Amino acid sequence: MMHPFTEIQFISDEIGHGVVATRFIPKGTITWVQDELDQIYTPQQVAKMQKLSQEMIDKYSFRNNKGNFVLCWDISKYVNHSFRSNCFSTAYDFEIAVRDIYPGEELTDDYGYLNVTEAFKPKDEGTSRSIVYPDDLLHFHKEWDAQLEDTFRFIREVNQPLMSLVPGPVQQKLNLILDGREQPESLLSLYYDDTK
């Protein structure tokens, strides 16, 4: 489920639609949680689908670390890629704002940690990376982990309207992390190796 202070808006002809903040969303806010309405499909299920359905799965889903396709039921499927993303996935089936997000600003992810099935070249943002690869997690997880570790310390300081959707065991794990008794799990745990 996407954060309640968001809506879908047309971004541009090149990008299409995206998810935009309707109010200020501070750093450390959980912006999306995988919930019970999200649909999960195995590669075998997708292979049996009609071609158009397969295209929609490819366009609107991401792959988890088991290689399954997660199709979100709400506007979160419209969150676009950015190499300068303001939201990051975590190893706990939620995403978090890694910097303040202002009203009218688009919420973005780096698709490099979403186990894309094929490399693609997104809109040029003038960054050192210009292509998203299926194995980006292997190369950038340490950098992303450091950014998440910095962000986690804000979780208790901001309003969390989606916290009730975070499963109890994950909340307990978060408390251990926030109390300094455990380290956050690496984003590398999200990686799916489709060569195995």
Side-chain angles (χ1 to χ4, degrees):
M1 181 175 290
M2 201 72 207
H3 193 283
F5 297 165
T6 60
E7 66 183 15
I8 187 171
Q9 288 185 11
F10 180 75
I11 305 301
S12 69
D13 288 333
E14 180 182 6
I15 294 174
H17 290 81
V19 176
V20 173
T22 58
R23 298 189 207 172
F24 178 66
I25 300 174
K27 178 178 181 176
T29 302
I30 294 172
T31 55
W32 170 83
V33 176
Q34 185 174 321
D35 67 30
E36 59 195 0
L37 295 177
D38 293 325
Q39 298 297 305
I40 301 173
Y41 299 97
T42 66
Q44 294 79 16
Q45 288 174 308
V46 173
K48 293 177 183 175
M49 292 179 178
Q50 297 181 26
K51 186 174 179 356
L52 182 58
S53 297
Q54 291 175 345
E55 290 171 2
M56 293 300 102
I57 290 286
D58 186 56
K59 182 174 183 177
Y60 290 113
S61 71
F62 68 91
R63 281 193 308 175
N64 64 20
N65 61 357
K66 296 176 181 68
N68 295 328
F69 296 85
V70 180
L71 180 64
C72 299
W73 66 274
D74 65 353
I75 66 171
S76 54
K77 64 180 163 276
Y78 292 101
V79 173
N80 290 311
H81 165 80
S82 174
F83 289 121
R84 297 183 174 115
S85 65
N86 51 25
C87 297
F88 266 43
S89 194
T90 69
Y92 307 103
D93 291 331
F94 67 78
E95 293 190 355
I96 192 167
V98 293
R99 62 175 174 79
D100 291 344
I101 303 171
Y102 293 90
E105 185 178 356
E106 188 179 3
L107 279 72
T108 54
D109 277 333
D110 190 318
Y111 283 15
Y113 48 67
L114 295 179
N115 293 307
V116 296
T117 53
E118 294 180 9
F120 72 93
K121 186 169 186 168
K123 178 183 174 184
D124 182 9
E125 296 178 276
T127 59
S128 59
R129 289 170 62 211
S130 60
I131 298 176
V132 176
Y133 292 100
D135 65 351
D136 276 349
L137 257 171
L138 298 179
H139 305 287
F140 301 104
H141 70 275
K142 289 182 182 177
E143 174 186 330
W144 293 335
D145 285 347
Q147 196 165 1
L148 279 172
E149 190 169 344
D150 172 67
T151 301
F152 267 44
R153 61 194 175 98
F154 294 95
I155 288 176
R156 286 181 174 156
E157 297 178 17
V158 298
N159 183 34
Q160 299 288 2
L162 296 180
M163 187 60 82
S164 65
L165 295 175
V166 175
V170 175
Q171 289 189 36
Q172 292 171 1
K173 175 77 74 175
L174 273 179
N175 284 329
L176 292 173
I177 293 167
L178 299 175
D179 290 342
R181 292 186 280 165
E182 284 192 17
Q183 289 293 312
E185 190 172 346
S186 172
L187 272 182
L188 188 58
S189 66
L190 299 180
Y191 181 65
Y192 172 65
D193 185 355
D194 64 359
T195 64
K196 292 183 178 180

